[in-house]
Amino acid sequence: MSRYLTPLPQGLRFTDPVVVVATFGGSGLLRPAPGTWGSIAAVFAALPFAILGGPVVLSIAAIAAFLIGLWATEKYIAASGNHDPSEVVIDEVAAMWLVMAALPPNPIFYLLGFAFFRLFDIWKPWPIRGLEKRVAGEMGVMVDDLVAAIYAIMAAWIAGIAFFTA
């Protein structure tokens, strides 16, 4: 296996639905920075939703990604024995789609949303780090990214407004 690809847990194959969902088509298997790769993949996958259906469809997609992400993350954790495998990026996908749904459909806002989401997801300011430690299992993997998404939405709105009114 390449140093740029994470090996799958014993018993799972790339074509397993759990792997496809949890790693978002394998984007979470890329190294380094699997969360960033998953977030980039999420942005590109969200564009058809955003263009064709707008924020409502993108919000529904984010909720669907969160719910199916709970299932896939639970199964992936059980197979890997790791409580928070870094290759599981469906949490980043659900969060990034939420960010994009809450921002104006503008490349600058989307870029700001992406940058702030990655910042808050990596930095984990209060209460994100505490949630990550206190909430166990698949919900713990998923929920900290939603809080990072809320922070990113607020920061992107502030920065975007400052950018467009400057």
Side-chain angles (χ1 to χ4, degrees):
M1 189 58 63
S2 165
R3 68 179 184 189
Y4 300 110
L5 228 76
T6 300
L8 291 174
Q10 188 71 27
L12 290 179
R13 292 186 298 186
F14 183 76
T15 55
D16 289 336
V18 165
V19 173
V20 172
V21 172
T23 67
F24 199 61
S27 62
L29 298 172
L30 298 173
R31 296 282 182 231
T36 300
W37 288 112
S39 297
I40 290 168
V43 169
F44 285 103
L47 291 176
F49 294 124
I51 292 166
L52 299 174
V56 171
V57 171
L58 198 47
S59 297
I60 292 168
I63 293 167
F66 181 82
L67 294 174
I68 196 167
L70 288 171
W71 166 80
T73 302
E74 175 189 25
K75 301 296 183 198
Y76 200 98
I77 287 171
S80 70
N82 183 345
H83 75 281
D84 190 2
S86 62
E87 64 269 23
V88 171
V89 295
I90 191 63
D91 50 335
E92 275 86 359
V93 173
M96 197 61 233
W97 288 359
L98 178 64
V99 169
M100 292 174 70
L103 297 176
N106 176 296
I108 292 180
F109 272 97
Y110 284 174
L111 182 61
L112 288 169
F114 173 83
F116 282 120
F117 172 67
R118 291 309 304 144
L119 171 71
F120 292 125
D121 190 32
I122 293 165
W123 176 28
K124 299 189 186 313
W126 182 90
I128 298 170
R129 189 168 308 280
L131 281 170
E132 184 181 54
K133 291 180 181 186
R134 282 190 214 101
V135 181
E138 65 277 6
M139 186 60 80
V141 171
M142 300 292 291
V143 77
D144 67 310
D145 288 79
L146 292 183
V147 178
I150 293 167
Y151 282 13
I153 291 164
M154 292 186 295
W157 268 105
I158 292 166
I161 290 168
F163 178 84
F164 285 109
T165 58

